[in-house]
């Protein structure tokens, strides 16, 4: 029997020793991976050419009677010009076009209870700013891993813009 060291070395990876990997493989997954395997990981996307007075806006709302909670996994997007602002907002008012959420487990028939809409324009109401970023031209990804929780009766909105550009926004979430 080998004499494995029980102490981790600071210059090496964390020491682990799996036992009987044939009958119990050591497979770890992120919450998003588990949600995808369960068929409850979804995405909504929007891309548009916007003018100087517009934003590319994507909103996902959790209806008050949904019985589900939304956990935001990732927010991503892009802009074709530098100096574009990205705002993540709580409970903005958006009057846009419906977007159909996509289940990221292509073998699942589960449909999201969340509603999504997109708009090339501006938000209204009294939203609360969660996050604001100024971008250089190109893409951005905010890995959240469920850190933003949207209970029933609330919404999350991503607004990319104020500048003549082509901009996009994407929100990934799981619901439980």
């Amino acid at each position: 029997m080998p004499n494995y060291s029980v102490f981790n070395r600071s210059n090496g990876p964390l020491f682990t020793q799996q036992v009987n990997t044939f009958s119990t493989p050591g497979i770890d997954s992120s919450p998003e991976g588990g949600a995808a395997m369960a068929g409850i990981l979804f995405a909504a996307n929007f891309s548009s050419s916007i003018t100087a007075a517009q934003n590319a806006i994507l909103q996902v709302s959790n209806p008050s009677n949904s019985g589900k909670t939304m956990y935001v996994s990732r927010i991503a997007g892009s802009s074709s010009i530098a100096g574009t602002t990205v705002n993540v907002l709580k409970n903005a008012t958006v009057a846009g076009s419906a977007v159909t959420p996509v289940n990221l487990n292509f073998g699942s028939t589960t449909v999201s209870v969340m509603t999504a809409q997109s708009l090339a324009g501006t938000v209204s109401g009294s939203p609360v700013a969660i996050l604001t970023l100024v971008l250089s031209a190109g893409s951005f990804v905010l890995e959240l891993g469920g850190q933003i929780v949207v209970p029933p009766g609330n919404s999350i909105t991503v607004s990319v813009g104020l500048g003549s550009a082509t901009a996009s926004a994407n929100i990934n979430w799981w619901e439980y």
Side-chain angles (χ1 to χ4, degrees):
M1 171 176 274
N3 185 14
Y4 292 112
S5 172
V6 295
F7 299 103
N8 292 321
R9 295 182 309 201
S10 62
N11 64 347
L14 180 65
F15 174 79
T16 60
Q17 180 66 36
Q18 294 182 352
V19 288
N20 195 3
T21 58
F22 178 74
S23 62
T24 55
I27 298 173
D28 294 328
S29 179
S30 66
E32 293 85 355
M37 286 185 281
I40 56 171
L41 184 67
F42 300 94
N45 303 289
F46 177 60
S47 180
S48 180
S49 294
I50 56 175
T51 65
Q54 292 181 323
N55 296 312
I57 299 167
L58 179 63
Q59 181 180 65
V60 179
S61 300
N62 188 349
S64 57
N65 60 352
S66 71
K68 301 278 185 176
T69 299
M70 175 184 178
Y71 300 89
V72 181
S73 167
R74 177 180 298 115
I75 296 174
S78 64
S79 175
S80 62
I81 62 168
T84 299
T85 302
V86 175
N87 292 298
V88 179
L89 307 167
K90 172 186 172 184
N91 296 336
T93 302
V94 175
S97 301
V99 174
T100 302
V102 175
N103 190 321
L104 295 178
N105 179 337
F106 295 170
S108 175
T109 58
T110 303
V111 177
S112 176
V113 298
M114 306 301 152
T115 60
Q117 57 183 335
S118 63
L119 173 70
T122 58
V123 298
S124 59
S126 300
V128 175
I130 297 171
L131 177 71
T132 300
L133 300 170
V134 178
L135 299 177
S136 56
S139 61
F140 67 93
V141 177
L142 304 172
E143 295 288 347
L144 299 168
Q147 294 176 25
I148 297 177
V149 179
V150 183
N154 289 274
S155 66
I156 185 166
T157 304
V158 177
S159 173
V160 182
L162 283 187
S164 297
T166 299
S168 67
N170 172 284
I171 301 175
N172 291 8
W173 71 91
W174 73 87
E175 49 196 59
Y176 181 74

